[in-house]
Structure formats: structure tokens, C-alpha cells
């Protein structure tokens, strides 16, 4: 289980991860480093403001609390930072667009390069480019138009006037082809720079959203927090706990998050689980310590974080098989727990099998974890990852992306699929399938994905599989086979369900894996 970290550190981690994975030309990397520096500076400003907010929660020996004026000031400053990110993102909209063909300006530069590099040293240069300039220019332009359509030209493609007049025909054709190749290479790099700008613009826009959301949920209003603070103080004072500061955050569909700075008096110790019960009684809510919070409230002032307890709990299971015995499985997966209210299932199938496929899917999973922990939404995160894969220059990369975010408070789940195999939801003896017709990430500049929202109920199972599992079934209706099989699985344990599905797939293929195989199962139950 991954512990939740401060939202500032993952944001910086996202920037570093993106720059690391973009293996482009030195100029492109330099652009990214500049952008990354700007982002980190702005995040640093946000950190200062948050530090002021947390550090100024009490004055006068801890007896007074955050005032409305301070909250409004901090909120406005954070909104200003969010606005800066939005302006940075929108500035990319006015930059150059991608090219699909060489335009007139490109062809003009090619023509000038030919005349400069080859013709200027020719003894007939004055005849061709001074005395007969118009005819030479038009003949060369016609040759380049032919080359643009064919890719390359030969001596036979030269206009009669140019072939008869030029005394360096083979060299002229070679120079024309060389300059056209250079122009096409420049166009490729131009498009990659444009794509990278789009990726950065998306990243900045998401950071702006995160900062703005944070600014909008700093804490409750003065009267409300004062009333709640008194109730918390009364409950904890009985157990000799002195409270210095209370900050509360209401998160959409994820309940309350409470930040407490406190200490025990007179040698008394209290566990954070006990404190969560006391605070929950005071607020009439069910609270639990956050995963990264300390276990015991000690004698020195320290910060403790409590979250509203989720309505559901989950258990998970995994079953896997490699295509070739002894080789790495090209699928990578992760169960991510960004906080006590969410569980994220993610599965990526690298193209092919073995170590290369493993490295591709590992890149996708690591970046997904970085983005989601930093607070990015699923769709923008996948778009940015697609840009990373497209812009990798040492070799082409493509991987499927299968993502399911389960909200344990609301009992809902969000599916995002990019070229991924069918996912199944099992409810008693009913099975629902969720399919995707999109291409894997890393193939197209603009990633296509399918997204769906579903309501989950007590006792439901979400079953995610890689293509290798589906491909083991040679029947025409592959999904139908798995729907019928999953419907009749008698097991309740997610691990047993995963094992049963993998075994059934292998049995259909003579116990020889058709490809790397992975089955992920998450069961959800009401608390």
C-alpha cells in the first residue's frame, strides 16, 4: 500500500519524471528544463503560502485560531498562482501548429540551400542564376514539387531545360534529395516540439486546477470551525490532550479531512486511533488516522491527520503467467491507495512480451502513479503519458492502459481504457462487461480512450485482465465465454477468483499461454 504524500512533492515529482522520460534533442530538453524550473518555482511559492497558513494557525500561545481574513488572503494568493499556471498553459495555444506536408516556405528554403551549397561554386552560376534566373528558378521548383510527391527524384525527373543547361546533373539531383530529407527531418522535430508543448500545456492546466481546488477548500468558515474546535477541545481535554491548531477540509465525494496539531500532557499518551474515535464523536462522524499519520500522540506538539472513514472496504487478488517460462511478464500492474477513500486498479500491457514489453508497461504504470498521487485526473494523466510514449526517440513505444478508480465513500468507480482488454463486474450471478475499441497509448499523437462510470454494491467484484487472458480463448465470442465462466465462479475470495480465471484461460489454450497473462480482482464490501 502506498502512503499518501503532500500534494506539493508529487507535483515536483511529475515535472522531474516528465523531463526524464522525454529523450529528445538537446534543444527540446532545454525547453523542458526551463518549463520545469518555472513550474517548480511556482510550486515553491505555493509551498510558502501553505506553510504560512499552517504556521499561522495559532498565535498568543496557541489560544487563537485561523481568522477569516487570513484564510481569504491565503486563498486569493493560491488562486493567483493557479491563474499563473492557466496563463502559462494558454500561452502555448498561440504557438505553431503541427505540419503534415512541407509548405511553400520550407520549399523556398530548400531551393535556396541548393543554389547556395552547389551552384555558387559552379562556373555556370552566372548563366543559370543571373542571366536565366526565372527559367532556372521555375525548373528547380518544378523538380522539388515532383520530389515532394515521390519522396526522392532521379535524373529522369529533371525538367529538360534544367537537365540540358546544368553541368552537374547527378550532383544537383543528390543535393536536391539531401536538402529535402533535411527539410522533412526538421518538420518531424517541429511536430514533436509542438506535441511536447501541448503536453506541457496540459500539465500546467492540471496543476492550476489542483492549486485552485486546494485554495477553495482551505477550511470551514469562522463560526463553524470555532464551534467544531470547541467540541474537539472538550473531548480531548478530558484525556489531557492539548490542541494547538485545527484545520478542516471538505473534499467532494470524499468526506472531511482534519489536520490537528496537538500534544499529550502530564505523561499521558493516546493513540491516534483512540483520538480519531473521540474527534469523530465530537463531530458526529466516523474518522480514522490517515495512513501516513503517526500512531501515538506524544508529549511534543506534532501534526496529525484524520480522514472521514470510507463506507466500503476492499480486498484484492492477482494471478499471472508469462508467455515464455523464465522471462519477465510484459504486463505491469498496481493497486494504488492515494488515500483512505480511493483504490486505483491499473494494468498496462506492453506490446510484445519479455523484458522490452515489461519496460514499456513499467514506464506507463510509474507515470500513472506519479500523476494520480499528485492529484491529476485520469484522462489528462493518460493524455500526458501518451505524449511521453509518442515522443520517445530511441525506439517506438506503445502500451495499453486499463484504469479503474473506486471511490470507497460513494461506492462508484470510474473506468478509463486505452486499447485495453475487456473488464468485468461480477454481482452475484450477473456479469457486466466493459470493452474498449481504442488504440494503445503511444501509437497516435492524439490518444483515444473510452471512459465509463459505474455504481458498485456490497459484494461486487471488479475483474481486470490483459489481452493474453482473452486471447487464450479461440471461440468467436471470447467475452461471452468469460462472462459465462465468471458468472458461475463459486469463490468469494478475490485471490481464488483470479486463480480460477487464469486456470480456465490456460485450460482453453492447452495450458500454453498465448501471451503474457494478468488477472486483477478487487472485491468491495460495505463496512
Amino acid at each position: 500500500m502506498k502512503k499518501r504524500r503532500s500534494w506539493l512533492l508529487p507535483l515536483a515529482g511529475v515535472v522531474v519524471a516528465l523531463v526524464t522520460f522525454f529523450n529528445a534533442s538537446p534543444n527540446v530538453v532545454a525547453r523542458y528544463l526551463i518549463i520545469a524550473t518555472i513550474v517548480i518555482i511556482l510550486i515553491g511559492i505555493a509551498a510558502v503560502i501553505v506553510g504560512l497558513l499552517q504556521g499561522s494557525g495559532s498565535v498568543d500561545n496557541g489560544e487563537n485560531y485561523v481568522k477569516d481574513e487570513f484564510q481569504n488572503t491565503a486563498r486569493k494568493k493560491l488562486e493567483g498562482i493557479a491563474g499563473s499556471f492557466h496563463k502559462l498553459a494558454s500561452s502555448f495555444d498561440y504557438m505553431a501548429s503541427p505540419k503534415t506536408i512541407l509548405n511553400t516556405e520550407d520549399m523556398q528554403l530548400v531551393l535556396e540551400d541548393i543554389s547556395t551549397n552547389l551552384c555558387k561554386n559552379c562556373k555556370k552560376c552566372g548563366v543559370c542564376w543571373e542571366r536565366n534566373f526565372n527559367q532556372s528558378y521555375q525548373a528547380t521548383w518544378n523538380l522539388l514539387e515532383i520530389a515532394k510527391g515521390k519522396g526522392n527524384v532521379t535524373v529522369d525527373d529533371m525538367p529538360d531545360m534544367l537537365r540540358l543547361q546544368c553541368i552537374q546533373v547527378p550532383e544537383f539531383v543528390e543535393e536536391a534529395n539531401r536538402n529535402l530529407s533535411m527539410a522533412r527531418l526538421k518538420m518531424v522535430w517541429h511536430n514533436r516540439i509542438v506535441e511536447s508543448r501541448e503536453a506541457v500545456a496540459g500539465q500546467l492546466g492540471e496543476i492550476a486546477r489542483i492549486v485552485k481546488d486546494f485554495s477553495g477548500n482551505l477550511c470551514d468558515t469562522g463560526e463553524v470551525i470555532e464551534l467544531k474546535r470547541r467540541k474537539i477541545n472538550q473531548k480531548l481535554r478530558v484525556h489531557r490532550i492539548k490542541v494547538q491548531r485545527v484545520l478542516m477540509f471538505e473534499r467532494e465525494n470524499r468526506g472531511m479531512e482534519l489536520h490537528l496539531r496537538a500534544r499529550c500532557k502530564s505523561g499521558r499518551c493516546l493513540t491516534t486511533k483512540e483520538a480519531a474515535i473521540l474527534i469523530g464523536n465530537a463531530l458526529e462522524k466516523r474518522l480514522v488516522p490517515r495512513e501516513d499519520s503517526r500512531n501515538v500522540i506524544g508529549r511534543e506538539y506534532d501534526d496529525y491527520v484524520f480522514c472521514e472513514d470510507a463506507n466500503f472496504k476492499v480486498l484484492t487478488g492477482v494471478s499471472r503467467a508469462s508467455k515464455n517460462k523464465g522471462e519477465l511478464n510484459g504486463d505491469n500492474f498496481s493497486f494504488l491507495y492515494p488515500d483512505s477513500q480511493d483504490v486505483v486498479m491499473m494494468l498496462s500491457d506492453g506490446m510484445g512480451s519479455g523484458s522490452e514489453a515489461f519496460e514499456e508497461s513499467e514506464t506507463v504504470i510509474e507515470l500513472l502513479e506519479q500523476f494520480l498521487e499528485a492529484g491529476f485526473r485520469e484522462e489528462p494523466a493518460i493524455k500526458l503519458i501518451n505524449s511521453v510514449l509518442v515522443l520517445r526517440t530511441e525506439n517506438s513505444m506503445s502500451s495499453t492502459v486499463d484504469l479503474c478508480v473506486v471511490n470507497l465513500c460513494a461506492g462508484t468507480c470510474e473506468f478509463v481504457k486505452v486499447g485495453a482488454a475487456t473488464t468485468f463486474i461480477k454481482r452475484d450471478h450477473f456479469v457486466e462487461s466493459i470493452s474498449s475499441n481504442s488504440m494503445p497509448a503511444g501509437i497516435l499523437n492524439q490518444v483515444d480512450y473510452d471512459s465509463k462510470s459505474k455504481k458498485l454494491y456490497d459484494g461486487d467484484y471488479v475483474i481486470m485482465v490483459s489481452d493474453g487472458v482473452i486471447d487464450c480463448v479461440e471461440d468467436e465470442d471470447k467475452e461471452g465465454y468469460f462472462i459465462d465462466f465468471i458468472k458461475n465462479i463459486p469463490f468469494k475470495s478475490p485471490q481464488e477468483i483470479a486463480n480460477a480465471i487464469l486456470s480456465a484461460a490456460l485450460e482453453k489454450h492447452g495450458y500454453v499461454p498465448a501471451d503474457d497473462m494478468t488477472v486483477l480482482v478487487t472485491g468491495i464490501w460495505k463496512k
Side-chain angles (χ1 to χ4, degrees), residues 108-120:
Q108 181 72 37
L109 290 173
V110 170
L111 193 151
E112 291 176 3
D113 286 341
I114 293 172
S115 62
T116 300
N117 297 335
L118 181 68
C119 298
K120 71 175 182 179

Side-chain angles (χ1 to χ4, degrees), residues 99 109 113 181-191:
K99 294 180 181 179
L109 290 173
D113 286 341
S181 296
M182 290 296 296
R184 294 190 190 98
L185 183 60
K186 289 178 182 178
M187 184 175 70
V188 170
W189 281 111
H190 167 87
N191 289 341

Side-chain angles (χ1 to χ4, degrees), residues 352-470:
S353 61
S355 59
E356 290 187 4
F358 173 86
E359 290 173 5
E360 291 179 4
S361 59
E362 183 182 42
T363 297
V364 171
I365 293 297
E366 287 180 350
L367 282 173
L368 267 177
E369 290 178 336
Q370 286 273 2
F371 282 126
L372 296 179
E373 284 191 324
F376 281 64
R377 290 169 294 184
E378 296 82 30
E379 289 89 348
I382 287 174
K383 288 180 181 178
L384 292 172
I385 290 170
N386 182 72
S387 298
V388 172
L389 300 183
V390 168
L391 293 173
R392 290 287 287 259
T393 58
E394 75 280 6
N395 50 32
S396 59
M397 291 182 65
S398 60
S399 293
T400 65
V401 180
D402 208 352
L403 190 65
C404 174
V405 181
V406 180
N407 185 324
L408 297 178
C409 284
T412 58
C413 60
E414 301 287 335
F415 295 95
V416 182
K417 303 174 81 66
V418 184
T422 302
T423 295
F424 305 92
I425 299 177
K426 174 179 168 59
R427 181 176 302 134
D428 295 326
H429 293 288
F430 168 78
V431 176
E432 182 178 3
S433 64
I434 300 168
S435 302
S436 169
N437 296 317
S438 57
M439 297 289 288
I443 294 179
L444 303 175
N445 291 336
Q446 297 296 325
V447 65
D448 185 24
Y449 60 87
D450 299 293
S451 61
K452 287 186 180 179
S453 299
K454 294 293 180 181
K455 174 67 178 174
L456 297 178
Y457 298 92
D458 182 40
D460 283 0
Y461 298 88
V462 178
I463 301 166
M464 195 177 282
V465 300
S466 62
D467 285 336
V469 177
I470 300 293

Side-chain angles (χ1 to χ4, degrees), residues 237 239-242 263-269 298-299:
R237 190 182 299 119
H239 294 268
R240 305 191 64 78
I241 303 296
K242 185 171 179 60
R263 69 177 180 87
C264 286
K265 299 191 296 184
S266 304
R268 170 79 177 179
C269 284
R299 299 179 183 179

